[in-house]
Amino acid sequence: MKIENTKAQMRKGVLEFCILSVLKDGEAYTSDILETLKDAKMLVVEGTIYPLLTRLKNAGLLSYRWEESTGGPPRKYYDLTETGKLFLTELNDTWSELQQAVNKVTSEKNTQ
């Protein structure tokens, strides 16, 4: 088993949560979302994020608006819907519980 595959799967498992979290303070353009995720070492590429954004939009968690650009095609800005904000709140609670559980399991000494 290769460690890189496992690390990639762990990142994928939290990517939607991270995207919603990036948008919690307001709308963002896709490249801004990517930049934030890359700065956090999430190692995301454009080919990964667009299908996720579409899935989150289709689930009613995101909305978007188009804005004309002076240097190219119009830009799509994403934002959380009210449903998305509630969903993110639930994910935050779940993440906290998961962190505590993993920390407990990984920090306990094996007494066997």
Side-chain angles (χ1 to χ4, degrees), residues 59-99:
L61 304 178
L62 298 182
S63 62
Y64 67 85
R65 68 175 181 83
W66 290 99
E67 184 174 300
E68 290 299 323
S69 172
T70 57
R75 293 180 169 201
K76 191 185 283 189
Y77 285 83
Y78 290 89
D79 202 1
L80 291 176
T81 61
E82 287 305 313
T83 302
K85 290 174 185 175
L86 293 172
F87 193 81
L88 179 58
T89 298
E90 289 291 322
L91 287 180
N92 274 316
D93 292 344
T94 301
W95 180 252
S96 293
E97 293 167 6
L98 185 59
Q99 275 184 303

Side-chain angles (χ1 to χ4, degrees), residues 51-62 64:
L52 285 173
L53 290 169
T54 298
R55 186 166 59 232
L56 293 169
K57 180 191 70 70
N58 291 343
L61 304 178
L62 298 182
Y64 67 85

Side-chain angles (χ1 to χ4, degrees), residues 7-23:
K7 289 162 75 173
Q9 288 302 315
M10 291 173 80
R11 282 188 198 95
K12 285 181 188 177
V14 297
L15 193 52
E16 290 180 5
F17 174 45
C18 290
I19 290 170
L20 295 174
S21 295
V22 168
L23 295 169

